[in-house]
Amino acid sequence: MAQMNMKEAIRDAMRVELKRDTNVLLFGEDVGKVGGVFRATEGLQAEFGEDRVFDTPLAESAIGGLAVGMGIQGFRPIAEIQFVGFIYEAMDQMFIQAARMRYRSGGRYNSPIVFRTPFGGGVKAAELHTDSLEGLAVQTPGIKVVIPSNPYDAKGLLISAIRDNDPVFFMEHLNLYHAFRAEVPEGEYTVEIGKANVVREGSDVTIIAYGLMVHTAVKAADELEKQGIKAEVIDLRSLVPLDIDTIVASIQKTNRAIVVQEAQKTSGVAAEVIAQINEKAILHLEAPVLRVAGPDTVYPFAQVEDAWLPSVARISAAVQKVLDF
Amino acid sequence: MSKVLSKLPYEVQTEPVTPLSVLSLDGEVVNPDEMPELTDDQLKEIMYRMVFTRTWDDRAVNLGRQGRLGFYAPVSGQEAAMIGSEYALNKDDFICPGYRDIPQLVWHGLPLYQAFLYSRGHQHGGQIPEDVHVLMPQIIIGAQILHATGVAMAFKKKNEKRVAITYTGDGGSSEGDFYEGMNFAGAFKLPVIYVVQNNGYAITTPYAKQTAALSVAHKALAAGIKGVQVDGMDVLAVIKAVRDAAERGRNGEGATLIELLTYRYRAHSMADDTTKYRTKDEEAEWAPKDPLIRFGKYLESKGLWSEEDTARVKEEAKATVNEQIKKAEAVEKMTVEGLIDSMFETTPQHLEEQKADFQ
């Protein structure tokens, strides 16, 4: 088994699928010769040729619309939106056109497209390069939303996404691309979209997170353990569909939970998770479920980024609060 | 137009164009070199389709008033643009329409009752038969321009000798997607035809307030594709221009922007009042350009058409519309459960649970 970081695992998933299915195409701004601004697609054009892996003019809406048009003709596009803040330019094509193709055609056409985009804070990038915009996608009917937290999941989830006949919004956390290496199998394997992962077992409180925040949550759980508190950590892996069963099973055991997200607090993924916990597990709760999230401001300039993002200390404080309730 | 004060050697200049016409207002061939090759039977078929469509449009407006159709955008006046451009295509060419472009879909093979179902807000309207190469009408102005660009790229990658055609209005030519689509088509040399039916108004905003460009057709220059302007009330000129563009696409010569100068007699939709933004003089100016009268005169001069033919086609169209609207009305209504099941290939658990609330 190979050791890969998350970026290499994502690249390997695309390589496996480009090789397996000639209908799989990869395109976007700068993805070809240079391999993308983060080199996530490095070497793929050299391996598969310009017909399969190609640069487009700089126009996000057209990248999305090109994917929709090719999707209805039997291709399986992987369309890269270079930075997350640029998805606003492509939102009509991703969230309206692709996401409702199956609905408005009564199932005649579909959108077997993966829209890949890097996102995520803590890297001191330029404005609108790192924001957590997954909530916009989650509010959109008809598109799946996947956020991996480690190399193994990233490869397996991306292969699942490419094979999925519905559009998938696949968000890759910038701070995880090179964060660490892990064992990743060679060749094909899939991780099912819609299944959460219990990454750390515990009995006192459940910490629900996704993306980079899974790692911050695990660090917080390590700290809490020193105080004798056993926290269970759940990695959602996909936000649509959301695996509420795994969350409920955990809460039945721990009776307390917090949800961690990088995104601004109001009306986001954490709010949705808590609403579903209320619907399905309220009688198992011993305390309100709290959110640890960014404040409701514009995503900050680099100077306050670290303070703005959820930290081990803020997660630990929230855990203490639900334990002391 | 403002006076050009100076012409610098490095300043990009363009000149106005004259739209392509084949027929005069009296139905005489004034431009024989541009006459498309058509048999007598084909000429009669084109007239048949235009008369049929005018009658169907009249009926559809009435059906809308009766509440038997939902959203409907009238087409009278634009028959030459719509029917001529579709007639110039092969059956396996692909149409990405705007909201008004229902006639092209129907003449390309979409059953009329499905067009009515689409208007009535039923999903089955969009369940295009496998052998009909169209998308359902697009509501977001310009989004379909990018879909056609993607379809054309698919044809090119598969080495298929097919073209994609897409339609929008003069208002649509102001959208970012219009520029992005044409620019992609230029950069990738794609077999796509961008048709702008310039009917003078984006709902109520007149063309003069839409752009300061010399014409919509001039916008092709920036994308490096071919641009042509055509008399969109002259069905023969429309056929000629679209055939040429399709041939270019099939030959690997890339995309074409075609501006069709046309006019819609009725309002933008069933809801606006044309008297608030148009003048009687303007309507009188367009009336003699009517594509049915003009092409009808040409056919009559060749002994291919008569008033009796028009009357016969009208009756046939009325009967067909009656039958097709009844067929649409007989289709079982959509359900929320069915709607939920159409979101994903396999309905996920959360939607299964939401479905249960409606059972």
Side-chain angles (χ1 to χ4, degrees):
Chain A
M1 220 181 277
Q3 289 277 324
M4 292 184 197
N5 64 28
M6 198 171 91
K7 187 177 76 182
E8 290 162 349
I10 284 167
R11 184 192 301 145
D12 200 42
M14 290 189 277
R15 179 184 291 119
V16 164
E17 290 304 283
L18 280 160
K19 205 168 178 180
R20 188 186 65 84
D21 182 352
T22 54
N23 286 319
V24 174
L25 301 173
L26 169 62
F27 54 83
E29 293 156 13
D30 308 304
V31 301
K33 206 166 192 174
V34 74
V37 288
F38 296 107
R39 310 286 182 268
T41 58
E42 198 168 35
L44 296 178
Q45 188 180 68
E47 188 173 348
F48 297 99
E50 276 190 60
D51 195 44
R52 307 276 311 282
V53 179
F54 54 95
D55 292 327
T56 65
L58 196 164
E60 287 78 14
S61 185
I63 291 169
L66 197 74
V68 173
M70 300 197 80
I72 62 174
Q73 288 298 320
F75 284 100
R76 306 186 76 83
I78 307 169
E80 180 175 304
I81 304 294
Q82 195 161 59
F83 291 101
V84 71
F86 308 168
I87 71 164
Y88 289 108
E89 302 289 338
M91 277 177 68
D92 172 48
Q93 291 297 335
M94 295 196 307
F95 297 164
I96 297 182
Q97 305 300 332
R100 64 174 57 204
M101 184 60 79
R102 183 181 295 283
Y103 149 74
R104 65 193 304 267
S105 69
R108 168 66 178 86
Y109 299 114
N110 58 23
S111 297
I113 305 163
V114 182
F115 296 106
R116 287 181 46 241
T117 193
F119 84 108
V123 293
K124 311 286 190 288
E127 192 178 12
L128 281 162
H129 282 48
T130 50
D131 304 38
S132 294
L133 302 180
E134 65 274 15
L136 300 170
V138 166
Q139 273 230 325
T140 302
I143 190 164
K144 295 178 180 176
V145 184
V146 175
I147 301 181
S149 71
N150 62 70
Y152 177 90
D153 283 357
K155 180 175 173 182
L157 286 166
L158 184 52
I159 291 176
S160 292
I162 294 167
R163 295 179 185 182
D164 201 306
N165 284 331
D166 292 310
V168 179
F169 189 52
F170 196 90
M171 299 179 72
E172 301 162 10
H173 202 292
L174 279 169
N175 224 346
L176 289 175
Y177 271 155
H178 306 112
F180 60 96
R181 289 179 177 276
E183 289 199 340
V184 174
E186 310 274 354
E188 299 178 32
Y189 69 91
T190 57
V191 172
E192 187 182 345
I193 295 172
K195 293 284 175 215
N197 187 24
V198 179
V199 295
R200 181 194 173 100
E201 303 249 357
S203 52
D204 298 330
V205 62
T206 302
I207 307 175
I208 300 154
Y210 54 94
L212 180 72
M213 285 300 113
V214 173
H215 301 278
T216 313
V218 168
K219 280 182 201 150
D222 288 344
E223 291 297 314
L224 291 163
E225 194 162 15
K226 292 175 191 164
Q227 302 161 41
I229 299 163
K230 293 188 176 64
E232 180 146 303
V233 179
I234 294 177
D235 176 0
L236 291 176
R237 293 202 286 208
S238 88
L239 308 181
V240 178
L242 183 75
D243 182 3
I244 191 65
D245 290 349
T246 296
I247 296 168
V248 167
S250 179
I251 286 170
Q252 284 172 347
K253 186 167 65 171
T254 63
N255 310 113
R256 289 175 170 84
I258 67 163
V259 190
V260 187
Q261 66 178 25
E262 278 186 48
Q264 291 83 346
K265 190 171 187 178
T266 300
S267 302
V269 171
E272 173 59 27
V273 169
I274 294 168
Q276 291 202 34
I277 290 170
N278 281 340
E279 286 173 358
K280 302 212 168 180
I282 197 160
L283 294 177
H284 294 282
L285 290 174
E286 297 289 344
V289 182
L290 298 184
R291 283 173 287 183
V292 180
D296 290 336
T297 70
V298 167
Y299 189 90
F301 289 127
Q303 296 228 338
V304 291
E305 200 177 24
D306 290 340
W308 190 91
L309 288 164
S311 60
V312 167
R314 284 175 59 203
I315 293 170
S316 299
V319 166
Q320 286 294 351
K321 218 168 171 180
V322 296
L323 288 170
D324 294 344
F325 182 79
Chain B
M1 211 172 27
S2 62
K3 198 181 164 193
V4 178
L5 296 176
S6 63
K7 234 182 189 183
L8 301 169
Y10 48 83
E11 187 180 340
V12 177
Q13 297 285 337
T14 57
E15 301 297 331
V17 288
T18 306
L20 168 68
S21 284
V22 173
L23 294 176
S24 71
L25 296 189
D26 295 326
E28 287 168 13
V29 176
V30 291
N31 201 352
D33 292 347
E34 302 293 343
M35 180 77 186
E37 271 186 41
L38 293 160
T39 65
D40 286 353
D41 281 347
Q42 286 177 316
L43 290 168
K44 285 195 281 187
E45 172 65 18
I46 293 159
M47 187 63 182
Y48 172 89
R49 291 184 181 196
M50 291 207 293
V51 174
F52 190 105
T53 305
R54 176 74 56 91
T55 310
W56 145 30
D57 190 56
D58 291 344
R59 295 286 296 150
V61 169
N62 284 333
L63 289 168
R65 288 187 182 128
Q66 293 167 31
R68 294 170 76 187
L69 284 183
F71 175 78
Y72 181 75
V75 302
S76 290
Q78 297 190 206
E79 292 90 346
M82 292 174 160
I83 284 144
S85 59
E86 190 284 326
Y87 198 80
L89 303 172
N90 292 339
K91 276 296 161 201
D92 67 350
D93 292 332
F94 199 97
I95 300 178
C96 296
Y99 54 82
R100 198 183 304 280
D101 302 307
I102 310 285
Q104 296 96 303
L105 305 186
V106 170
W107 294 115
H108 213 56
L110 180 72
L112 186 56
Y113 87 94
Q114 280 194 264
F116 290 154
L117 272 174
Y118 171 80
S119 175
R120 289 165 61 84
H122 195 299
Q123 276 183 329
H124 180 59
Q127 283 170 331
I128 312 291
E130 289 280 345
D131 59 345
V132 179
H133 304 287
V134 305
L135 268 181
M136 48 287 193
Q138 179 54 241
I139 297 300
I140 299 299
I141 307 300
Q144 72 277 16
I145 293 167
L146 300 178
H147 303 160
T149 308
V151 168
M153 183 179 267
F155 292 160
K156 184 172 179 172
K157 286 202 180 293
K158 291 191 274 191
N159 287 319
E160 294 177 353
K161 294 284 178 198
R162 301 165 71 185
V163 299
I165 188 169
T166 184
Y167 296 86
T168 191
D170 37 312
S173 75
S174 300
E175 286 279 0
D177 283 352
F178 178 76
Y179 296 93
E180 292 193 18
M182 289 198 303
N183 188 53
F184 266 49
F188 292 113
K189 219 169 187 186
L190 301 178
V192 57
I193 305 168
Y194 302 105
V195 175
V196 172
Q197 296 176 84
N198 180 353
N199 64 20
Y201 292 92
I203 304 188
T204 68
T205 302
Y207 178 72
K209 290 188 177 175
Q210 198 64 242
T211 178
L214 283 175
S215 75
V216 170
H218 279 84
K219 296 184 179 187
L221 293 172
I225 67 171
K226 188 167 183 169
V228 296
Q229 192 184 53
V230 179
D231 179 346
M233 304 298 264
D234 178 349
V235 74
L236 295 176
V238 173
I239 290 171
K240 167 68 176 163
V242 177
R243 273 190 181 173
D244 286 354
E247 197 182 325
R248 293 185 69 244
R250 279 185 241 287
N251 291 341
E253 294 167 58
T256 308
L257 166 63
I258 302 176
E259 179 186 15
L260 302 176
L261 300 173
T262 185
Y263 199 68
R264 60 169 154 85
Y265 296 150
R266 290 196 176 89
H268 155 71
S269 69
M270 306 291 284
D272 60 302
D273 175 4
T274 57
T275 62
K276 290 194 173 158
Y277 58 94
R278 279 185 187 158
T279 62
K280 288 279 172 208
D281 285 351
E282 182 184 288
E283 290 177 356
E285 190 188 321
W286 280 93
K289 297 179 184 170
D290 187 300
L292 275 65
I293 297 172
R294 197 162 161 191
F295 188 57
K297 282 179 183 170
Y298 169 68
L299 293 188
E300 281 169 30
S301 73
K302 287 175 68 95
L304 294 173
W305 199 262
S306 66
E307 278 182 24
E308 291 73 34
D309 289 319
T310 298
R312 173 181 54 79
V313 178
K314 279 185 177 177
E315 287 311 308
E316 192 181 320
K318 281 181 196 168
T320 304
V321 168
N322 281 345
E323 171 204 291
Q324 293 287 302
I325 188 73
K326 280 180 189 154
K327 189 171 175 185
E329 286 167 340
V331 172
E332 198 175 339
K333 277 192 177 172
M334 278 180 66
T335 62
V336 175
E337 293 97 307
L339 170 63
I340 287 172
D341 279 335
S342 70
M343 297 313 300
F344 294 101
E345 185 174 49
T346 305
T347 302
Q349 180 190 325
H350 69 286
L351 279 172
E352 285 292 353
E353 288 170 11
Q354 291 173 28
K355 205 161 79 179
D357 293 341
F358 294 91
Q359 283 165 340

